[in-house]
Amino acid sequence: MTAILIGVQGDRRALAWCAAMVLVAALRLLSARAWRRDPAARDRTGFWSVIGCCGTFAAGLALGGGAAWLWPASETWQLFWVFLVGGMCAGAAGLHHAHLPAVLAFILPAGLPLVARYALEGSERGLAAAAMILVFLGALTLSACRSSREFAANLRLRLSLAQQAQALDAANQRLREEMARHRATEESLRQAQKMEAVGQLTGGIAHDFNNLLTVVLGSLALLRKRLPEGDERAARLLENALQGAQRGAALTQRLLAFGRRQVLNPALVELPKLVQGMADLLRGALGAGTHLRCDFPPGLPPVHVDANQLELALLNLVANARDAMPRGGEVAISAEERQVMRGEPGGLPPGPYVVLSVADAGEGMDEAVLAQAMEPFFTTKGVGKGTGLGLPMVHGFAAQSGGRFTLHSARGVGTVAELWLPRAGAVPAGRPEPQAAPLPATRRGTVLLVDDDPLVLASTAAMLEDLGHVAVEAASGPAAIELLRGGVQADLVITDFAMPGMTGLQLAEAVRRIRPGLPVLLATGYAEVQEAVLPGVPRLPKPFEQAALARAVAECLSGAGAAPG
């Protein structure tokens, strides 16, 4: 436009107008760069909005004011100015449609000077042109308003969609996490159900084995008494058979421990004293190449567990630690008191516990082996070197004692076995050590023997008769009641617990009604009896040997069996 004004009309003022337009454009460019470099531009949108509107106002005023100042006399060039300004206004409306104040800041100062210039002519043509320019500016303003509203609506919609997408992604993430937790819970439930099913199976098998081993042990004991002297080969074979039966009895106890069906006799146990008392046994189990270290804090509270089963569990853990270190090393036994808070994972009720730890620096276990370590019959040892019942036994013992058993291991680092045991109350100072009760004098008597297994019945009757007692056999609880009502003068009733039709406890209750004061001895290996046993009904754990049977019968016949079992 400057070139046209100078070349056609010879108006040198166009150079000043061109310089003003370039200056305004330069200032707008500098302000745009300053906005881009402002780190706080998002927080200063109001300030930069004003700067932007000032820039467009200056550009529009320079364009419209320049047109009015350089207004040519020729109608042709006047129309050229009008079309130029109108095109720039239309371009500004399209470029700045998202920001209505910027559109108005340009088109009004650009178009109104032309309106004023035409209106000042006073002619009909000038007034008509002014009116047309006003209509054009109004149309641009309405169009810009509509475009601005649509842009704002679209922007709000896009922001809403983005927020909804973020919310959906967050919901999907929560759903994935919930599904992962659900799968983990299902896997834990399946594992617990599998362990429970196997535990019930092994517990039932162990009960049957108890009966069989009772027969075997009793028969071998009687046979050893009748073995002719001097037959060393027969004596050696008999001893081998007895040792095999005793090992079978120990294995059965492990099965019952895993199935949580062993009979426990919990009492106050001080861990430092218990470990110190079996230190020689533990060192012997470790061998010469492995060192045993014990670390117990002073004032460690006692625990409430079965001491014999705890010793067996500790011996199993120490043996496993030894096997994990074929080149030798150190096994550390320690204990500390810990508190379980409400809601903590692990399944333990809230309260105080004492954690007995057995740590080794052996080969360790990877995740796959660690996941199977406490499954019954799983072992990494060679054939004939492990039954796969050591850790399951410890697990079952801990659970039955009201605690839990955990393993922490990593390949090449070692293993830490933790036995969580319920803490007991403080032990009174100077508490005397319990003394074993002397065996009371044995007197002969008539024993009513009740068992649904004919082999157990015959073997136990033979052991009683060998001890000098008279054995009266009954194959069921109702049969025993009929014998008592029929006049059998029994001095003692020995009954099995698990019998069809009438359990041993039900029989004991019936005996008390029929013959008050008649002692009843419950021969069983079932842990279910632990909670349901009647006061004054002692127990004889199966499998039992003749010596244990003799002591139990002597205590009952002498009145010692009247103490609660």
Side-chain angles (χ1 to χ4, degrees):
M1 191 63 189
T2 300
I4 292 173
L5 290 173
I6 295 175
V8 175
Q9 294 187 353
D11 193 345
R12 296 289 178 178
R13 295 179 302 171
L15 292 175
W17 171 75
C18 181
M21 292 295 294
V22 172
L23 178 61
V24 170
L27 292 175
R28 295 185 67 191
L29 179 61
L30 291 176
S31 65
R33 289 186 175 180
W35 168 72
R36 290 190 180 96
R37 293 174 182 176
D38 186 2
R42 292 187 176 181
D43 300 327
R44 303 173 62 191
T45 55
F47 170 77
W48 286 111
S49 176
V50 172
I51 296 296
C53 289
C54 290
T56 55
F57 178 82
L61 184 61
L63 180 62
W69 180 43
L70 301 173
W71 192 250
S74 171
E75 292 185 3
T76 302
W77 297 114
Q78 290 177 2
L79 290 176
F80 191 83
W81 266 112
V82 170
F83 280 112
L84 175 63
V85 174
M88 294 295 288
C89 289
L95 181 64
H96 300 297
H97 71 278
H99 192 240
L100 182 61
V103 176
L104 298 178
F106 183 85
I107 65 175
L108 293 180
L112 291 179
L114 296 181
V115 174
R117 187 72 184 187
Y118 273 116
L120 289 175
E121 292 182 358
S123 63
E124 293 183 359
R125 183 187 68 85
L127 294 175
M132 291 179 64
I133 294 174
L134 284 175
V135 171
F136 175 72
L137 294 178
L140 283 181
T141 301
L142 292 176
S143 177
C145 289
R146 181 178 298 175
S147 298
S148 178
R149 286 196 299 268
E150 290 179 356
F151 178 83
N154 289 334
L155 182 60
R156 286 192 295 268
L157 179 60
R158 291 175 60 184
L159 292 175
S160 177
L161 290 176
Q163 292 174 353
Q164 291 179 6
Q166 291 179 353
L168 182 60
D169 289 341
N172 287 335
Q173 181 62 28
R174 291 193 298 270
L175 179 60
R176 286 191 290 268
E177 293 174 355
E178 186 65 28
M179 290 175 63
R181 287 194 295 267
H182 184 65
R183 285 194 294 268
T185 303
E186 285 184 343
E187 183 62 27
S188 299
L189 179 59
R190 284 194 295 268
Q191 181 69 12
Q193 290 174 341
K194 180 176 70 174
M195 296 293 282
E196 181 65 24
V198 175
Q200 292 178 355
L201 176 63
T202 53
I205 293 175
H207 175 258
D208 292 337
F209 267 101
N210 273 338
N211 286 338
L212 296 177
L213 289 171
T214 298
V215 176
V216 173
L217 288 171
S219 299
L220 290 176
L222 295 177
L223 182 60
R224 182 167 54 181
K225 288 184 177 182
R226 290 165 175 75
L227 189 66
E229 296 183 3
D231 193 344
E232 296 181 359
R233 177 178 174 80
R236 186 168 60 253
L237 292 175
L238 184 59
E239 289 299 324
N240 290 342
L242 277 171
Q243 291 180 11
Q246 290 168 352
R247 289 177 61 181
L251 182 61
T252 303
Q253 289 303 310
R254 291 188 178 187
L255 288 170
L256 285 172
F258 164 70
R260 306 178 194 178
R261 285 165 172 78
Q262 62 179 344
V263 178
L264 297 180
N265 295 305
L268 290 182
V269 175
E270 298 177 65
L271 292 180
K273 287 186 178 181
L274 181 138
V275 175
Q276 182 181 5
M278 60 182 304
D280 293 338
L281 178 62
L282 296 176
R283 292 190 180 94
L286 288 174
T290 306
H291 175 66
L292 177 65
R293 177 172 60 88
C294 299
D295 184 16
F296 295 98
L300 185 70
V303 293
H304 191 253
V305 295
D306 187 309
N308 293 331
Q309 295 298 326
L310 178 57
E311 290 178 352
L312 181 60
L314 186 58
L315 189 60
N316 272 295
L317 295 178
V318 169
N320 280 350
R322 174 204 63 200
D323 295 339
M325 299 185 296
R327 298 181 183 85
E330 182 181 77
V331 175
I333 301 178
S334 60
E336 62 176 337
E337 185 177 4
R338 295 186 193 175
Q339 187 79 17
V340 174
M341 307 304 294
R342 187 177 304 276
E344 285 190 19
L348 283 180
Y353 292 84
V354 176
V355 182
L356 179 64
S357 302
V358 178
D360 65 72
E363 299 174 352
M365 295 176 281
D366 55 28
E367 293 183 0
V369 175
L370 186 61
Q372 296 179 280
M374 283 186 283
E375 292 188 1
F377 310 111
F378 174 80
T379 179
T380 57
K381 302 176 184 178
V383 178
K385 296 183 179 180
T387 62
L389 286 172
L391 294 182
M393 184 277 293
V394 178
H395 170 74
F397 161 70
Q400 193 176 357
S401 301
R404 71 179 178 193
F405 176 59
T406 58
L407 281 176
H408 308 279
S409 185
R411 177 65 68 180
V413 176
T415 302
V416 178
E418 292 184 345
L419 195 58
W420 292 62
L421 303 171
R423 192 194 74 177
V427 180
R431 180 173 59 91
E433 295 292 334
Q435 301 293 329
L439 184 65
T442 304
R443 67 181 181 88
R444 304 295 181 264
T446 300
V447 179
L448 176 58
L449 188 59
V450 188
D451 202 302
D452 62 317
D453 191 319
L455 292 178
V456 177
L457 196 63
S459 175
T460 308
M463 286 191 287
L464 288 171
E465 291 171 355
D466 183 70
L467 294 172
H469 301 288
V470 176
V472 180
E473 301 178 17
S476 65
I481 294 175
E482 289 299 323
L483 290 175
L484 291 175
R485 287 176 175 171
V488 173
Q489 298 299 317
D491 300 302
L492 171 65
V493 176
I494 301 179
T495 177
D496 186 23
F497 169 69
M499 296 185 297
M502 176 181 287
T503 67
L505 290 179
Q506 292 172 339
L507 176 59
E509 293 177 345
V511 168
R512 285 186 174 182
R513 291 192 297 269
I514 298 173
R515 294 275 300 275
L518 178 62
V520 177
L521 177 63
L522 200 61
T524 181
Y526 263 88
E528 283 83 350
V529 189
Q530 188 82 8
E531 301 296 331
V533 69
L534 292 174
V537 179
R539 294 186 306 274
L540 175 62
K542 283 185 177 181
F544 52 82
E545 299 185 24
Q546 189 178 31
L549 177 63
R551 172 178 288 277
V553 171
E555 290 177 350
C556 290
L557 292 179
S558 64

